[in-house]
Amino acid sequence: MKEYWTSLASILGVFAFCQTILQTVFPPELRFASAKLFNKIFNCFSSYCYFEITEIDGVNTNELYNAVQLYLSSSVSITGNRLSLTRAVNSSAFTFGLANNDSIADIFNGVNVVWEHVVTQRNSQTFSWRPLPDEKRGFTLRIKKKDKHLILNSYLDYIMEKASDIRRKNQDRLLYTNSRGGSLDSRGHPWESVPFKHPSTFDTLAMDPEKKIEIMNDLQDFANGQGFYHKTGRAWKRGYLLYGPPGTGKSSMIAAMANFLGYDIYDLELTEVHNNSELRKLLMKTSSKSIIVIEDIDCSINLTNRKNNKNNGSGLGSGSGSGLGCSRSYYESGVGEIRGGVGEENVNSITLSGLLNFTDGLWSCCGSERIFVFTTNHIEKLDPALLRSGRMDMHIFMSYCSMQALKILLKNYLGCEEGVDLEESVMKELEEVIGMARMTPADISEVLIKNRRKKERAVDELLEILKVRAEKNKKNGEGDEDDDEEEEEQEKRALDSDSPKQESEIEDDCKEGSEEEEKIK
């Protein structure tokens, strides 16, 4: 045994002596060139090619590295043997990732690729303008040479898109509102934000199920329609008009749309916007994958139907101006001093033309994948120019509570299932009076919330209130009309007659205002 260890020590001594001679005879430059040549020879005979994606590219963070890290945190990485578990700031979910110096296989368009997470210690003597992490991290992508030109570019684009979707789903959604008076925050942005925590979903929305499915399919087609919109030459945006009586769930619908798509919401307060230029700047500062909302648009500024105003005899000299020609009269929209001495800073000069360009003009195309939502309680007050397709593509009537919506409310608030917790006779009585009662989901929800711990009492009280309301409406002659038909007629009246002339009327009204101003001067 002693002889064995002696021989081993002699062999190691010979190796150390030879290494010393090699280092003396062959300088580091020659050894580096030899290693480089060996790698080239090896790569010539190898069937694979390798791509290095480092965490830091020079002094900047490599966006592709973060995208790959997020992509590998999807369901693909869960099949790995060794994973890291993290939760990012402002994230609502945990993400999985590759552990240090571990690898995983992936398949894209039938091609096998291998990812390896390489982590090495950074040389402490390296000079940098900013502190660098002690470890040097990166991903190595291995692809067969024959597949490189087939999938490399498309695969990386797919990773970037997938990572963006994961990031949006994991992060908390935000609710934005424009700053008061157009002021900017510390970062120079005109929007202020808070976390969006509204729990409304299409499952909890009290609405006819068929209509909900129609809306959900339309939203899904929009979110997946980038190729279609590009092919047809249309801007990737869509407009929704929610109209109906107060308390019918218009705000809840907007929250459900945001939760369904995972979009942020920009709640635009028109009364805080001074002019069309400021409106455009607000639009430019909105992000893609967002919903831009103007609630109660008929109440925000004077956006009533021009035809109705003309029939009522209102002209440029009246307080309402020319109706919608310039949203307000030319004087009110730009020359506040002439009209009663109001200071310019207190004058809202948004015109209808500016609002139309906001939703359907060239400036509306400065971003992609955005949804515009307008809400109103009185659709007949809106000008037809706002309602046409291309601005408001889908008109959604939020009606009084129907039987289908009532079943959803009973399930949400009381946990009642039809045919299980409620007798058939009770359901039949509810069905008989719900249409005549004309109660909003908000009114019915209040009754159910008040008695949510006592199901039978809640249903009995609701049935009694519905009967009283139905009887009252019957005496007043309001319960015999069909809600949907009435609202459709109302919308037709808003879109009626000379709608093709609306665009030219806007210009004519503005010209009239300009001529009138010249006379006064």
Side-chain angles (χ1 to χ4, degrees):
M1 189 66 181
K2 184 177 181 181
E3 294 178 357
Y4 172 78
W5 288 110
T6 303
S7 301
L8 181 61
S10 301
I11 294 173
L12 292 176
V14 172
F15 280 136
F17 177 73
C18 293
Q19 183 180 10
T20 302
I21 293 178
L22 288 174
Q23 290 179 351
T24 303
V25 176
F26 298 100
E29 293 80 3
L30 181 60
R31 294 200 304 270
F32 176 76
S34 301
K36 188 175 181 180
L37 178 63
F38 175 78
N39 286 333
K40 285 185 176 180
I41 297 174
F42 175 79
N43 291 333
C44 289
F45 292 98
S46 174
S47 60
Y48 293 96
C49 54
Y50 299 84
F51 300 91
E52 302 290 338
I53 302 173
T54 57
E55 179 183 15
I56 297 176
D57 182 15
V59 295
N60 299 318
T61 302
N62 190 350
E63 183 181 357
L64 183 57
Y65 174 88
N66 295 330
V68 172
Q69 192 173 41
L70 277 175
Y71 170 72
L72 295 179
S73 71
S74 62
S75 58
V76 176
S77 67
I78 297 178
T79 60
N81 295 326
R82 189 178 180 184
L83 305 171
S84 63
L85 186 63
T86 58
R87 180 172 179 174
V89 179
N90 294 330
S91 175
S92 58
F94 295 98
T95 56
F96 296 89
L98 277 178
N100 296 347
N101 300 315
D102 201 359
S103 61
I104 192 172
D106 188 21
I107 300 177
F108 178 74
N109 290 341
V111 176
N112 293 319
V113 300
V114 176
W115 288 99
E116 182 180 3
H117 191 206
V118 181
V119 180
T120 57
Q121 291 295 322
R122 189 180 298 274
N123 188 350
S124 59
Q125 297 180 355
T126 301
F127 174 78
S128 176
W129 291 102
R130 66 170 186 173
L132 296 175
D134 295 334
E135 295 178 334
K136 183 179 180 181
R137 301 183 182 89
F139 287 102
T140 299
L141 173 62
R142 190 183 74 182
I143 304 177
K144 288 186 177 181
K145 290 181 178 179
K146 64 177 183 178
D147 299 326
K148 171 185 174 182
H149 301 289
L150 296 177
I151 73 161
L152 182 59
N153 291 334
S154 58
Y155 184 44
L156 294 178
D157 290 339
Y158 171 77
I159 289 175
M160 295 295 290
E161 182 179 351
K162 189 73 174 179
S164 177
D165 291 338
I166 296 173
R167 188 181 295 110
R168 188 178 72 253
K169 290 178 181 178
N170 289 346
Q171 287 182 345
D172 290 335
R173 284 178 291 280
L174 298 176
L175 173 62
Y176 293 87
T177 185
N178 48 310
S179 303
R180 184 174 181 83
S183 60
L184 304 178
D185 63 8
S186 58
R187 298 172 298 171
H189 292 175
W191 295 97
E192 299 173 353
S193 65
V194 294
F196 180 68
K197 300 291 186 180
H198 202 295
S200 177
T201 64
F202 279 104
D203 291 334
T204 62
L205 199 63
M207 192 177 189
D208 181 64
E210 293 183 1
K211 187 179 291 187
K212 283 198 291 187
I213 293 174
E214 179 185 357
I215 297 170
M216 292 167 66
N217 290 338
D218 190 77
L219 290 170
Q220 196 65 55
D221 289 342
F222 169 78
N224 299 330
Q226 181 178 12
F228 170 79
Y229 280 88
H230 286 181
K231 182 180 69 174
T232 56
R234 292 172 59 95
W236 194 9
K237 64 181 184 62
R238 192 154 178 83
Y240 292 84
L241 176 69
L242 309 182
Y243 66 100
T248 51
K250 292 185 283 294
S251 298
S252 297
M253 168 65 78
I254 296 171
M257 293 168 68
N259 289 328
F260 179 71
L261 295 175
Y263 287 4
D264 292 334
I265 294 180
Y266 288 84
D267 186 13
L268 177 60
E269 180 56 59
L270 286 179
T271 57
E272 295 296 338
V273 184
H274 293 154
N275 48 55
N276 295 337
S277 177
E278 189 175 316
L279 190 63
R280 286 195 296 269
K281 292 177 182 178
L282 285 170
L283 179 65
M284 293 172 61
K285 291 296 184 178
T286 59
S287 62
S288 299
K289 298 182 183 295
S290 61
I291 300 176
I292 302 172
V293 180
I294 302 180
E295 293 196 89
D296 298 321
I297 188 171
D298 56 306
C299 302
S300 297
I301 55 177
N302 187 19
L303 292 176
T304 52
N305 194 319
R306 280 168 291 157
K307 182 183 176 183
N308 292 345
N309 287 343
K310 289 180 180 179
N311 291 339
N312 293 333
S314 58
L316 281 171
S318 66
S320 61
S322 58
L324 239 326
C326 289
S327 173
R328 300 179 177 220
S329 71
Y330 185 82
Y331 312 107
E332 290 179 325
S333 64
V335 198
E337 300 83 8
I338 297 178
R339 301 292 296 173
V342 181
E344 185 177 354
E345 68 276 9
N346 295 325
V347 176
N348 184 306
S349 60
I350 299 175
T351 65
L352 174 64
S353 178
L355 187 60
L356 297 183
N357 288 329
F358 177 80
T359 57
D360 192 32
L362 293 175
W363 288 99
S364 67
C365 309
C366 61
S368 62
E369 198 171 351
R370 287 187 296 199
I371 292 176
F372 294 88
V373 179
F374 291 174
T375 72
T376 179
N377 297 333
H378 304 284
I379 189 174
E380 72 281 359
K381 292 184 178 180
L382 296 183
D383 192 273
L386 274 172
L387 304 179
R388 73 165 178 82
S389 298
R391 287 164 185 154
M392 295 296 107
D393 303 289
M394 192 172 185
H395 298 183
I396 303 173
F397 172 49
M398 308 297 292
S399 64
Y400 291 105
C401 191
S402 63
M403 189 59 196
Q404 294 296 330
L406 179 59
K407 292 177 182 178
I408 296 174
L409 292 176
L410 291 173
K411 182 179 179 181
N412 291 343
Y413 290 95
L414 304 180
C416 295
E417 296 285 350
E418 182 182 2
V420 179
D421 300 289
L422 295 176
E423 298 179 0
E424 185 177 351
S425 58
V426 176
M427 296 298 296
K428 188 174 181 180
E429 286 187 81
L430 289 172
E431 189 172 1
E432 289 176 354
V433 296
I434 186 66
M436 299 282 292
R438 296 170 65 85
M439 289 183 65
T440 65
D443 294 334
I444 293 178
S445 299
E446 187 59 34
V447 178
L448 299 180
I449 290 175
K450 190 168 55 177
N451 302 294
R452 63 184 180 274
R453 293 183 178 85
K454 299 178 182 178
K455 297 181 181 180
E456 294 182 0
R457 180 177 176 180
V459 174
D460 292 340
E461 183 175 339
L462 176 61
L463 182 57
E464 185 64 28
I465 293 176
L466 289 173
K467 287 180 179 179
V468 172
R469 186 71 65 89
E471 186 65 26
K472 180 180 178 182
N473 291 339
K474 187 175 182 180
K475 289 181 179 179
N476 295 335
E478 298 177 359
D480 297 329
E481 298 179 353
D482 183 80
D483 296 337
D484 294 337
E485 293 181 0
E486 180 183 350
E487 292 298 330
E488 287 177 4
E489 289 299 324
Q490 199 176 53
E491 184 174 355
K492 288 179 181 178
R493 289 195 297 271
L495 293 167
D496 197 19
S497 71
D498 53 347
S499 55
K501 301 179 183 179
Q502 301 297 338
E503 301 294 342
S504 61
E505 287 181 3
I506 297 173
E507 298 178 1
D508 294 341
D509 290 338
C510 289
K511 290 179 181 178
E512 292 175 9
S514 179
E515 293 173 359
E516 191 71 22
E517 183 200 4
E518 292 295 330
K519 292 179 181 179
I520 293 178
K521 290 181 178 180

